Amino acid sequence: MEKGLEQNAVELDSVSTYYYGEKRPALRDVTLRIPVGSLALIVGPNGAGKTTLLETILGLLKPRSGRIKVLGYNIPAEASKARALSSYLPQDFMKPPIEPFTAREVVAMGLASSSFSGRLLESGWKKVDRALELLGMMDHADKPFGKLSGGQQQKVLLARAIVREPKLLLLDEPFSAIDLETRSYIVGEIFPGLLRGGCTILLVSHDLDYSSMDADLVIRVVDGRVSQVIMRDAHATH
Amino acid sequence: MLMLLISSIIGGVLAGGLCGVVGAICNRLKLTTMAFSMAHAALAGSALALALGADIISLAMLLAIVTAMILGPLADHLRIPIDLASMTLFSLYNALAFIFIISAPGPALMIESVGQLLWGSILAIRPTYIAYLLLASMIVLSLLIIFWGKISSILFDIRLAEAEGVNVKAYKYAMLVIAGMTVTLALRMTGGFLVFSLLYVPAAASLQLQANMKGIIAASWIFGSASASMGLLMSFLYDLPAGSCITIAALIILLAASAYSRLRASLAAGRRA
Ligand SMILES: Nc1ncnc2c1ncn2[C@@H]1O[C@H](COP(=O)(O)OP(=O)(O)OP(=O)(O)O)[C@@H](O)[C@H]1O
Ligand SMILES: [Mg+2]
């Protein structure tokens, strides 16, 4: 059944994605509906296709077949419009110690990426500092990104994702380096605020105990297929 | 004589600074080998212009920019990494450059212009050349200032910038066109084989300072300017090939920067102890 744009943040219809030169698809015939304002967990073993799914949604990987709509925009044709409204926290985020940009500069890039010239006004820098504050990274704001610990780097990138006030937040293993206390603060305080504001969150994790999370749906990816969608909410239909 | 010295110092400051900053950015974007094949495209283009009696700068720039445009598609077509495609074209351009040089009118390898092509000359620095350099420097500087936010996003992580909606392709091609322009201009001074001394040695020196990104770019600009102007002065005084002198000057600066950074680190360690 076709849904209105206002109801689904992400729609995939029979989408298959192949990596360059590969004969086996990394995603095969995936059909998915993710309602606006929901928290969707994407789970599955290593190599299942979770990262591929996120990057296909953003149009970073081009599907060979199928139809994708993100926030009402066709992917990949209108990907840049959908991307401007989305934030992405990649799985492999670590930078070497020589990385010279400071934590504050890295967060500011989140705003720069989707403004015309990338120049930030006073209000932009205030938002940047608020996002750093939220993740408890204010004390490290002027340190070079590469000289932060893995967990600190991940927090800075999470701040960069949040400062964009996204309509769609794609998080690939966002807790892989983050301690338990911060993790429960993010899940218990930051996520609910974003969801209330109408943001849709897609969170990839292979090891998360998702009963602890207040997820609206759980998408299980196995061998490139979406094998299961558990809906918590009755009105969100597959 | 004095005019020549003054104009070569000015040319050196401009071309060296331009090369330094472009080299630092290309290095961050992992476009080093691409710039390499573009430089040799410019060399082959200059040699072709010599053989045909055409305008050297425009033909060199044309070939360099065409190279930047076809490298990506060529690598895809041959299913090889872009670095390998760059080195393949690099060989082709050198082969062509030698053929064009041999077929240039006049006794081959004797004429002044061939030497200028291969190892550069301060005689290349004429008022029009300085005007070109000034224009190019102004373009690069204003683009950097206006678009710094987006450029820094790309320099930090190009894929993340793309995921956030930055048109990274447009920026990358603009960068390659600028690199082609820069290399073509610098080539007249350093010669085809030594233009990298200005692209990458100042960038390497600037990394020694462990500054932030803006600092690295500013230092590359300064180190490039200093290398080129010192080198040209040396070339003028001792009548040695300009390209060789510039390379030696750039290496001296790199060694000095490295020594400075080590000294600073050990002083800091001493203070802590
Ligand atoms: N660049 C690539 N080229 C070719 N195949 C790839 C590439 N990246 C991933 N794959 C393959 O695609 C499949 C899905 O990979 P993907 O990275 O999406 O898995 P994942 O579910 O995110 O795994 P993990 O939990 O380890 O992060 C895997 O079989 C992998 O081998
Ligand atoms: Mg993954």
Side-chain angles (χ1 to χ4, degrees):
Chain A
M1 194 175 68
E2 199 65 31
K3 293 275 176 185
L5 299 181
E6 64 282 353
Q7 265 181 304
N8 290 319
V10 177
E11 297 182 4
L12 274 73
D13 283 299
S14 322
V15 170
S16 296
T17 303
Y18 290 73
Y19 280 97
Y20 186 77
E22 296 288 322
K23 289 198 181 61
R24 270 167 57 93
L27 281 187
R28 51 183 96 197
D29 203 27
V30 172
T31 297
L32 203 61
R33 295 279 181 277
I34 299 171
V36 166
S38 52
L39 171 59
L41 287 187
I42 302 172
V43 299
N46 290 137
K50 305 180 295 296
T51 300
T52 308
L53 177 61
L54 291 192
E55 302 212 336
T56 303
I57 287 172
L58 278 173
L60 296 171
L61 296 169
K62 309 259 176 299
R64 185 173 292 179
S65 58
R67 197 190 65 103
I68 305 172
K69 241 177 177 181
V70 175
L71 302 171
Y73 294 109
N74 287 310
I75 305 294
E78 300 173 298
S80 64
K81 287 180 187 152
R83 289 173 190 165
L85 300 173
S86 309
S87 291
Y88 181 39
L89 178 62
Q91 182 173 15
D92 50 345
F93 58 90
M94 289 281 286
K95 297 280 179 207
I98 53 157
E99 178 54 58
F101 286 107
T102 65
R104 183 184 273 114
E105 286 172 327
V106 170
V107 176
M109 290 168 194
L111 291 178
S113 285
S114 43
S115 71
F116 167 70
S117 73
R119 189 170 281 276
L120 264 61
L121 301 173
E122 185 81 14
S123 59
W125 288 108
K126 282 216 177 92
K127 281 187 192 173
V128 168
D129 281 356
R130 234 177 294 137
L132 281 164
E133 193 91 60
L134 194 66
L135 272 303
M137 289 303 294
M138 219 24 207
D139 290 343
H140 305 284
D142 296 314
K143 280 196 191 151
F145 186 83
K147 299 217 159 85
L148 299 175
S149 75
Q152 289 171 331
Q153 291 191 14
Q154 205 168 21
K155 286 185 197 173
V156 169
L157 287 183
L158 199 56
R160 172 167 171 172
I162 288 169
V163 79
R164 292 164 56 77
E165 296 169 1
K167 291 262 151 261
L168 178 65
L169 181 56
L170 305 174
L171 305 169
D172 200 346
E173 304 283 1
F175 304 132
S176 57
I178 284 180
D179 59 62
L180 267 175
E181 194 186 334
T182 313
R183 192 187 295 201
S184 55
Y185 168 70
I186 292 170
V187 172
E189 305 287 329
I190 298 182
F191 284 176
L194 290 169
L195 294 165
R196 270 197 302 277
C199 177
T200 307
I201 304 176
L202 267 66
L203 192 154
V204 166
S205 183
H206 62 258
D207 66 349
L208 208 67
D209 171 18
Y210 44 85
S211 58
S212 70
M213 273 230 217
D214 202 11
D216 298 296
L217 53 156
V218 177
I219 298 162
R220 177 168 289 279
V221 185
V222 177
D223 199 20
R225 293 177 206 275
V226 170
S227 68
Q228 204 180 349
V229 180
I230 304 167
M231 312 299 298
R232 188 197 58 154
D233 205 338
H235 75 249
T237 47
H238 177 59
Chain B
M1 259 331 230
L2 191 66
M3 266 315 284
L4 181 65
L5 181 63
I6 291 171
S7 63
S8 60
I9 301 283
I10 294 173
V13 165
L14 290 172
L18 201 57
C19 278
V21 69
V22 167
I25 292 176
C26 280
N27 174 47
R28 261 309 281 218
L29 292 176
K30 303 194 174 68
L31 296 175
T32 314
T33 53
M34 261 180 112
F36 203 68
S37 65
M38 282 166 76
H40 287 263
L43 177 64
S46 310
L48 180 62
L50 210 61
L52 298 176
D55 180 51
I56 292 187
I57 290 200
S58 30
L59 208 54
M61 206 173 286
L62 183 73
L63 221 61
I65 289 170
V66 167
T67 300
M69 298 296 161
I70 62 169
L71 263 174
L74 180 74
D76 281 347
H77 181 75
L78 295 176
R79 298 187 171 214
I80 53 175
I82 204 145
D83 285 353
L84 206 53
S86 299
M87 294 326 268
T88 308
L89 282 187
F90 159 77
S91 338
L92 171 68
Y93 289 136
N94 280 347
L96 290 178
F98 294 138
I99 291 174
F100 295 148
I101 287 172
I102 291 295
S103 39
L109 298 180
M110 299 272 286
I111 46 177
E112 175 69 27
S113 42
V114 172
Q116 204 179 93
L117 207 64
L118 296 180
W119 51 78
S121 160
I122 50 173
L123 297 175
I125 301 170
R126 304 220 172 85
T128 44
Y129 178 73
I130 291 186
Y132 275 141
L133 282 175
L134 204 57
L135 183 69
S137 304
M138 266 153 44
I139 292 174
V140 171
L141 198 61
S142 28
L143 287 179
L144 272 178
I145 290 172
I146 297 171
F147 294 107
W148 177 248
K150 287 207 167 172
I151 292 170
S152 62
S153 180
I154 292 171
L155 292 179
F156 176 72
D157 189 323
I158 192 163
R159 205 163 159 79
L160 188 53
E162 189 181 11
E164 291 177 343
V166 178
N167 187 350
V168 296
K169 249 201 178 127
Y171 279 88
K172 215 163 157 173
Y173 277 117
M175 187 60 227
L176 285 170
V177 169
I178 288 171
M181 184 176 83
T182 303
V183 161
T184 308
L185 289 174
L187 203 70
R188 308 283 297 130
M189 216 170 69
T190 59
F193 287 94
L194 292 170
V195 62
F196 297 97
S197 58
L198 272 186
L199 274 178
Y200 297 122
V201 184
S206 71
L207 288 179
Q208 304 297 314
L209 301 183
Q210 302 214 4
N212 61 19
M213 199 64 209
K214 275 184 189 158
I216 288 174
I217 289 183
S220 305
W221 201 303
I222 293 166
F223 288 157
S225 288
S227 311
S229 44
M230 272 166 55
L232 289 171
L233 183 64
M234 246 195 292
S235 161
F236 183 86
L237 292 178
Y238 304 110
D239 196 23
L240 290 169
S244 306
C245 294
I246 290 173
T247 306
I248 291 166
L251 288 170
I252 291 172
I253 289 177
L254 171 62
L255 290 179
S258 159
Y260 168 77
S261 122
R262 272 162 208 280
L263 187 70
R264 194 175 58 173
S266 63
L267 282 182
R271 222 174 295 127
R272 240 175 286 126

